[in-house]
Amino acid sequence: MTNPLRVGVAGLGTVGGGVLRLLRDNAEIVAAHAGRPIVVTTVSARDRARDRGLKLEGVHWHDDPVALATDTAVDVVVELIGGSEDPARALVFAALEAGRPMVTANKALLARHGVALAIAAEASGASLGFEAAVAGGIPIIKTLREGLAANRIRRIAGILNGTCNFILTNMRERGREFADVLADAQKLGYAEADPSFDIDGVDAAHKLAILAALAFGRAVEFDAVHIEGIRQVSALDIAFAKELGYRIKLLGIARRTETGVEQRVHPCMVPENSPLARVDGVYNAVVAEGDFVGRVMLEGRGAGAGPTASAVVADLIDVARGRRAPVWGAATDRLSGLPSVPIAAYSGAYYLRLMVLDRAGVIADVAGALRDSGVSLESMLQHGRAPGDAVPIVLVTHETRESQMREAVDRIERLESVLERPSVIRIEHG
Ligand SMILES: NC(=O)c1ccc[n+]([C@@H]2O[C@H](COP(=O)([O-])OP(=O)(O)OC[C@H]3O[C@@H](n4cnc5c(N)ncnc54)[C@H](OP(=O)(O)O)[C@@H]3O)[C@@H](O)[C@H]2O)c1
């Protein structure tokens, strides 16, 4: 019989446990696709005594996960600890430097150290698989790096964080405010006790930086991603979105412009009949637009033990077969020098919601502020009248530069009748 592929797994939490279960339950189908059995022989986690519901008899244990990198009884190392710093970072670099194939689900590590990791992999000839790092079970890494490799990609847009999509979907379906729905999501296990990484857009930005590097053949530049989360999205905005024929989604968007690559994560008004608008709950989806292929969309579960393990094991099957692609689709010395475009250079249509005191002249003042900043209006929405009280006014602009919009919002906020900072949401095709 062919020699099994011996796997060392560091991290036995949600994903690590899922990988061990998948390799046990689907051993036969995995072996058929891999051409040989794939067997976990060595593991590492923090707490050896913890009952994980996993059969670990006969499996070697390392207290120090970095020891897996040089353990000669291991053919491939899987890093499922997480975080962009040590021990995950030390383990992945040590394994690559030792020429050991590496598989990881760690988006933070790739977003922060992507180029250095690729250089280490190239120097030793080791492979680095990270299908599980973006959108869990959706095979978007392979799709961009291999399936769409012949295309010039113009744009990618994705729902990249299931927690945010769950919250926004629930706010829309139940007409509830952000804080209430977040509390429910935490009870259901869809949001962490400290949800900031998800709801402030950082997790989606890690994934977007990885996708943008692959799509545009350039070095990962996480620090160039413009990031806004969903804390400011209100039930009122969601209701207005519905009225205007939109849904609010947190999207990660990377777009090739005349001057470089734009990367941004923020809430978007997406036309309700567009494919991304209809991706609800914890689901993720990614749209890629290529010059020859046109538009491609993948949808599926972006997190959880099963979907993530599915992606990790797909990478292990590649290792077993000896299939290997450059980390970022091309050798690091062939990556393009396309610059990052700052958000100030963005241009698009905007939704703007104001809370104003309902009194004579307010609309004229707001229109004046927009005019003075060079912003032109496509439509305006105002319901009922409540003289002397606070009422919402919704404005939709024609295409406007971000810098003009910011100037207009500052002007509007200073108006006496405007009661709070306007809510501003960019309008994006799905
Ligand atoms: N969860 C998902 O749905 C999902 C989806 C896509 C990607 N990912 C990525 O997959 C990775 C793992 O996520 P997860 O959700 O499985 O995390 P998790 O449930 O928190 O598990 C982390 C594991 O790492 C171990 N660990 C932590 N610090 C360690 C240390 N210093 N030394 C040795 N072991 C250590 C923990 O050990 P103990 O068990 O002993 O505490 C635990 O087994 C992360 O990079 C995450 O971003 C997760």
Side-chain angles (χ1 to χ4, degrees), residues 11-15 45-47 50 52 80 82 87 105-107 132 303-304 308:
L12 295 174
T14 305
V15 183
R46 247 177 330 209
D47 181 0
R50 176 178 294 179
R52 304 169 190 277
L80 301 171
N106 192 332
K107 53 222 146 193
T308 314

Side-chain angles (χ1 to χ4, degrees), residues 10-17 44-48 50 52 61-66 79-83 86-88 104-109 132-137 192 197 203 207 302-305 307-308 312:
L12 295 174
T14 305
V15 183
S44 177
R46 247 177 330 209
D47 181 0
R48 192 171 182 164
R50 176 178 294 179
R52 304 169 190 277
W61 178 282
H62 281 298
D63 284 327
D64 175 11
V66 185
E79 183 277 308
L80 301 171
I81 294 172
D86 295 346
T104 179
N106 192 332
K107 53 222 146 193
L109 184 76
V134 180
E192 304 278 341
F197 223 56
D203 175 75
K207 296 167 184 168
T308 314
V312 168

Side-chain angles (χ1 to χ4, degrees), residues 28-89:
E28 230 168 280
I29 191 168
V30 169
H33 287 139
R36 52 183 168 141
I38 297 184
V39 183
V40 174
T41 54
T42 311
V43 294
S44 177
R46 247 177 330 209
D47 181 0
R48 192 171 182 164
R50 176 178 294 179
D51 178 10
R52 304 169 190 277
L54 299 169
K55 281 207 173 112
L56 294 174
E57 294 89 40
V59 176
H60 187 69
W61 178 282
H62 281 298
D63 284 327
D64 175 11
V66 185
L68 283 172
T70 46
D71 186 333
T72 51
V74 164
D75 301 314
V76 51
V77 181
V78 181
E79 183 277 308
L80 301 171
I81 294 172
S84 59
E85 301 310 318
D86 295 346
R89 178 176 65 170

Side-chain angles (χ1 to χ4, degrees), residues 251-329:
L251 297 189
I253 298 156
R255 197 166 61 106
R256 176 87 199 256
T257 73
E258 278 168 20
T259 49
V261 173
E262 185 182 276
Q263 301 179 81
R264 48 198 168 87
V265 170
H266 54 75
C268 295
M269 291 271 176
V270 187
E272 65 190 355
N273 57 0
S274 64
L276 281 178
R278 285 190 245 128
V279 176
D280 276 337
V282 293
Y283 276 76
N284 281 197
V286 183
V287 168
E289 296 167 15
D291 56 352
F292 273 69
V293 72
R295 201 180 149 92
V296 172
M297 174 160 149
L298 299 179
E299 178 183 353
R301 289 189 179 272
T308 314
S310 157
V312 168
V313 176
D315 280 343
L316 286 174
I317 291 172
D318 278 349
V319 172
R321 286 280 183 192
R323 289 191 289 254
R324 180 171 174 269
V327 176
W328 299 109

Side-chain angles (χ1 to χ4, degrees), residues 109-135:
L109 184 76
L110 280 145
R112 293 270 181 202
H113 306 292
V115 176
L117 289 167
I119 290 170
E122 278 172 17
S124 70
S127 63
L128 173 60
F130 55 94
E131 186 61 72
V134 180

